[in-house]
Amino acid sequence: RDGLGLGSSSATEKASRRLDRSACTSASLNSSASCCSIQILADALGTWMPLFAAGLLMVLATAFIYHVLSTSVTTYITNKVRVEMIGNLLKAQPSFIDKHQHGAIYHILTTDVGIVASFLTTVLNLLPSLIFLMIAMPQLFYYSPVAGAFALLVMGGGTFAYYYQQKLLATLNADARQL
């Protein structure tokens, strides 16, 4: 027994464990090579797997919290816009309401507030991507200016295509309102 009385640990057992580890780390090509690689893999997994699991949980928790916060912000602002619009509508003269077709004001209340909510959701969903791009683009130019220029070209083309699509949708929406 050792001095504390907690268990037995002889010098020969410690030496044999040291020999096993040194045999695992040597570059011999005998039958213990597969055992050594399994031991090294087990040591690596024992060290890195908990770190990977903790990192993965942190990323998932952060994504969930960000989603909840962005939904809360969108809901808050949408409700605030609706309350303001309804408050202004209640302050309006009856002749203002009589001038418009039946349901036109309600249509504006629902679609325009929906557009505001959609815009807010889009901006809040793009925010993490923009932060990533602010970090990644300088690194890309550092490692390869050609790849950086190509990435900027692709992003510019995508932005132009999105702008053109939104412009066409706005034209269609305006045409639909005239009906």
Side-chain angles (χ1 to χ4, degrees):
R1 289 185 139 333
D2 61 326
L4 297 173
L6 296 175
S8 64
S9 175
S10 67
T12 57
E13 288 177 7
K14 288 182 182 177
S16 68
R17 273 189 253 142
R18 264 189 249 125
L19 285 175
D20 287 343
R21 288 188 186 224
S22 67
C24 263
T25 56
S26 69
S28 63
L29 296 173
N30 56 15
S31 64
S32 69
S34 64
C35 175
C36 292
S37 62
I38 291 173
Q39 179 65 33
I40 292 171
L41 180 64
D43 289 344
L45 287 177
T47 303
W48 292 107
M49 189 57 82
L51 292 174
F52 174 76
L56 180 65
L57 286 175
M58 193 164 66
V59 166
L60 291 175
T62 304
F64 177 74
I65 290 169
Y66 183 77
H67 178 70
V68 168
L69 286 175
S70 65
T71 303
S72 299
V73 166
T74 302
T75 304
Y76 173 77
I77 292 177
T78 303
N79 287 338
K80 188 174 179 180
V81 168
R82 280 188 179 138
V83 167
E84 262 186 56
M85 288 178 76
I86 290 172
N88 289 336
L89 187 61
L90 290 173
K91 292 177 187 174
Q93 297 295 322
S95 61
F96 173 77
I97 296 172
D98 291 338
K99 287 182 202 174
H100 297 297
Q101 292 179 352
H102 180 72
I105 296 174
Y106 178 75
H107 176 73
I108 290 171
L109 284 173
T110 56
T111 56
D112 289 355
V113 171
I115 290 170
V116 169
S118 175
F119 173 75
L120 281 171
T121 303
T122 302
V123 168
L124 290 173
N125 287 337
L126 286 176
L127 193 61
S129 300
L130 291 174
I131 292 170
F132 173 76
L133 283 175
M134 290 171 58
I135 295 169
M137 287 306 293
Q139 289 179 343
L140 187 59
F141 273 105
Y142 175 75
Y143 288 115
S144 173
V146 174
F150 182 74
L152 281 179
L153 213 72
V154 168
M155 286 189 296
T159 303
F160 175 73
Y162 181 75
Y163 169 76
Y164 186 68
Q165 175 193 21
Q166 293 301 314
K167 190 174 178 182
L168 285 176
L169 285 174
T171 304
L172 289 174
N173 194 15
D175 291 342
R177 282 190 180 187
Q178 290 177 358
L179 295 175

